Structures are given as C-alpha cells and as structure tokens.
Amino acid sequence: MYKKLSVIAVVVLCTIAMSSCRSALSVIPQATNTIAPISFGDLDLQRKDYIILNTISAEATLTAHFSDGTVKIDDPSGEFSLTWEKDKKTGEWSPDRIKGIVRLGYLSNDYDEELFNIPPYPHWIVRRLAIYRLINAAKIAGGDGVIEPLISTNVEQGKSNRDIVYKTTVSAKLIKIKTDSK
C-alpha cells in the first residue's frame, strides 16, 4: 500500500515538475529598446538649446496566419517566427513554437509592467518592431530623442484568406540636445 502511494506521489511530483518546465520554455527571447518621444508642447527647451538633425524613418513587415486555435506570425527577413495556441478549456493564448529573437521598441511611457508578455496580436508586434528599428536609426545618427513620431500601419490580405500582411512605418524628427559650453 505504501509503495503504491509512493509511486503515485512520485508520478504527481514529476508531472508538476514537467509542467513547470513547459512554462519556462514559453518565454519568448526578445531584445527591447526605449526612446523618449518629445512633443513640442512638452519640450521645455529654447530653440537654441537643441538642433533638429533630420527626419528618420523605419519600417517593419510581418505576415500572420490565422487558423482554428492558432496564430502564427512570421518575419519575412527570417529573424523570428512565433506561434500561439489557444487553450480550449481556458481560452487563454500561450506561445507554442518560438524561433529566433523578437526585437521590440517602445516609446517612453508606451509600455506597461507586462514587458515580457508578448500578446498574439500581429499589429502590436509589427508596431514594436518598427519602433525598435527607429530607435536603432536614432542611435546610429547620434540623436538624443525624437519629436512627435508618426506611426502608420497598413493591413492587407496575404496569399490566402487566412493570411494577413501587416506593415508599419514610423518616422520622426531626430533631435540632438546641445551640451553646455562651459
């Protein structure tokens, strides 16, 4: 009798341990950037305190395939691919297959405390990817911030009726704060 209870206890513990390992695997590898967008109304600088370097822009395109209980998002450049499965009992979505690293960018105060919880929403991911690329362009150009970024997303039918193509373009004026000359 004690052997049966011991075996059952070991099976239960192994099942719990294996299920916790499964949830650890569902973390989506990602790289995150943030930059401060500055509106002219909030800019507390005199015009002599900064220079506008130029207008920069970046874009991202993703393809999403929707089927019963799954959403698959592919980056055409091959950087990443994500698939979510919908739990039939709870109705919650969870990452199922993950390939590559998802690169996400955020404008200041454009994110919440769930930074690592990537939802199965292609429009959300393509927007973040375009912002990530804009931030990298700003860093390369030597900017300190961007003024009033414009974000535009187009949604088009893909190759089949279950495929949707998302394309986001982000553009903004790049500013450089003048340093003290003292």
Side-chain angles (χ1 to χ4, degrees):
M1 172 111 172
Y2 290 113
K3 285 186 179 182
K4 285 185 181 180
L5 287 175
S6 298
V7 170
I8 292 172
V10 169
V11 170
V12 169
L13 289 174
C14 287
T15 304
I16 292 171
M18 293 299 280
S19 67
S20 68
C21 289
R22 168 75 175 120
S23 65
L25 294 174
S26 66
V27 172
I28 298 172
Q30 59 183 292
T32 304
N33 281 345
T34 61
I35 193 167
I38 303 165
S39 69
F40 280 115
D42 295 335
L43 195 59
D44 192 25
L45 298 172
Q46 299 297 316
R47 181 61 182 98
K48 63 181 174 52
D49 297 331
Y50 66 94
I51 57 172
I52 297 175
L53 298 176
N54 57 12
T55 299
I56 58 171
S57 63
E59 65 180 37
T61 302
L62 297 177
T63 302
H65 178 78
F66 298 91
S67 60
D68 296 333
T70 64
V71 174
K72 182 178 182 189
I73 298 174
D74 287 310
D75 176 16
S77 66
E79 288 186 31
F80 66 91
S81 174
L82 303 171
T83 304
W84 284 267
E85 296 283 337
K86 186 175 187 178
D87 187 294
K88 292 177 183 173
K89 292 180 184 177
T90 65
E92 292 185 21
W93 292 91
S94 63
D96 183 49
R97 289 180 294 277
I98 303 163
K99 180 185 139 208
I101 298 174
V102 180
R103 302 182 194 294
L104 305 173
Y106 296 85
L107 300 173
S108 179
N109 298 323
D110 193 22
Y111 56 90
D112 56 20
E113 64 277 354
E114 295 184 30
L115 201 56
F116 297 105
N117 183 22
I118 299 175
Y121 309 136
H123 64 279
W124 186 90
I125 295 171
V126 75
R127 175 185 171 99
R128 302 285 172 228
L129 180 57
I131 292 171
Y132 178 89
R133 291 176 178 167
L134 181 87
I135 293 168
N136 285 339
K139 289 190 318 187
I140 290 169
D144 293 319
V146 294
I147 297 175
E148 299 181 351
L150 300 173
I151 302 172
S152 172
T153 300
N154 294 328
V155 180
E156 300 173 2
Q157 185 66 52
K159 293 179 181 177
S160 76
N161 63 348
R162 292 183 174 253
D163 293 338
I164 306 288
V165 177
Y166 295 83
K167 182 178 180 181
T168 295
T169 303
V170 182
S171 62
K173 300 279 188 209
L174 184 63
I175 66 164
K176 177 80 176 163
I177 307 292
K178 293 181 181 177
T179 58
D180 291 337
S181 58
K182 293 180 181 182

